[in-house]
């Protein structure tokens, strides 16, 4: 079995949500980790776990970021982590997969399907084996207890319910260490 870990310094975990129903606000998490276990070279049998620290959310607006950490949204004090565990990887073709798993936010768990593009495997300058992926999906934030909403004076919604997910993930293969005790 081969184990791969997310190289967080070369990965991004982001999202977009409609603001005033006319534009998107983007955000991402800066603190996350994940592991992939596989017996195959093409990842078709991968088992994946992932978690993100909700208190690391950033949208490049400090006031909004603090609001996202409150009970109106993620409630980072009570539910500090987002979790994902894969249930199935479906290979569509050589470079595309459908990843199905359980996503937990605020102790609400729902199945989610992500489209995955595999960009290949290579070795970096230090001899580490790396693999690159792009993942996209959608969810409804209200399904996970993120129900804060407000309207403008004209009656329009301030924040949409649908959240678009986008992740660029670089994995690094773990190397087994054969330690011998003399």
């Amino acid at each position: 079995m081969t184990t791969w870990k997310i190289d967080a310094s070369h990965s991004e975990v982001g999202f977009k949500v409609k603001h005033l129903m006319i534009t998107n606000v983007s955000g991402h998490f800066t603190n996350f980790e994940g592991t992939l276990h596989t017996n195959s070279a093409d990842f078709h049998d991968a088992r994946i776990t992932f978690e993100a620290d909700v208190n690391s959310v950033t949208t490049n607006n400090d006031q909004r970021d603090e609001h996202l950490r409150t009970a109106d949204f993620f409630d980072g004090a009570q539910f500090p982590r987002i979790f994902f565990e894969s249930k199935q990887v479906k290979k569509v073709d050589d470079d595309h997969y459908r990843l199905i798993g359980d996503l937990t936010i605020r102790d609400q768990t729902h199945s989610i399907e992500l489209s995955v593009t595999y960009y290949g495997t290579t070795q970096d300058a230090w001899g580490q084996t790396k693999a690159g992926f792009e993942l996209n999906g959608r969810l409804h934030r209200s399904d996970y207890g993120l129900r804060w909403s407000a309207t403008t004076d004209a009656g329009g919604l301030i924040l949409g319910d649908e959240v678009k997910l986008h992740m660029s993930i670089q994995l690094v293969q773990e190397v087994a260490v054969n330690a011998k005790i003399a």
Side-chain angles (χ1 to χ4, degrees):
M1 174 152 315
T2 305
T3 299
W4 301 76
K5 297 280 188 180
I6 289 179
D7 179 349
S9 65
H10 295 105
S11 299
E12 297 176 358
V13 175
F15 60 89
K16 291 180 184 271
V17 64
K18 284 282 189 193
H19 181 256
L20 298 177
M21 309 317 288
I22 59 170
T23 58
N24 286 307
V25 170
S26 298
H28 63 275
F29 296 94
T30 60
N31 188 1
F32 53 87
E33 58 188 31
T35 304
L36 180 147
H37 299 282
T38 185
N39 285 316
S40 67
D42 71 355
F43 301 99
H44 77 273
D45 62 346
R47 290 181 298 124
I48 303 158
T49 57
F50 170 85
E51 64 180 74
D53 176 358
V54 301
N55 293 304
S56 74
V57 68
T58 182
T59 62
N60 296 319
N61 179 298
D62 292 339
Q63 184 178 2
R64 181 173 48 225
D65 296 346
E66 286 304 316
H67 190 204
L68 288 171
R69 294 179 186 113
T70 70
D72 283 345
F73 290 97
F74 290 115
D75 196 356
Q78 187 171 348
F79 307 105
R81 309 298 276 173
I82 293 173
F83 298 99
F84 174 83
E85 183 175 3
S86 67
K87 297 296 178 196
Q88 184 178 22
V89 175
K90 294 181 179 180
K91 189 170 182 176
V92 177
D93 60 39
D94 285 345
D95 301 326
H96 298 93
Y97 300 81
R98 290 185 9 219
L99 173 60
I100 300 165
D102 289 335
L103 179 65
T104 303
I105 303 173
R106 291 182 56 126
D107 276 353
Q108 300 288 318
T109 302
H110 298 282
S111 181
I112 188 168
E113 183 173 316
L114 303 170
S115 63
V116 180
T117 302
Y118 171 52
Y119 288 118
T121 303
T122 192
Q123 288 211 339
D124 68 11
W126 297 271
Q128 295 177 308
T129 303
K130 302 277 190 105
F133 297 88
E134 184 171 281
L135 297 87
N136 291 287
R138 297 172 188 255
L139 62 84
H140 292 278
R141 63 185 181 85
S142 59
D143 290 345
Y144 296 90
L146 287 83
R147 292 187 177 90
W148 181 88
S149 188
T151 56
T152 65
D153 290 341
L157 287 176
I158 290 178
L159 191 60
D161 187 45
E162 183 180 78
V163 178
K164 296 176 185 175
L165 306 174
H166 178 79
M167 294 151 276
S168 293
I169 301 295
Q170 188 173 116
L171 298 175
V172 60
Q173 184 178 350
E174 287 195 336
V175 178
V177 177
N178 294 328
K180 293 184 179 180
I181 300 174

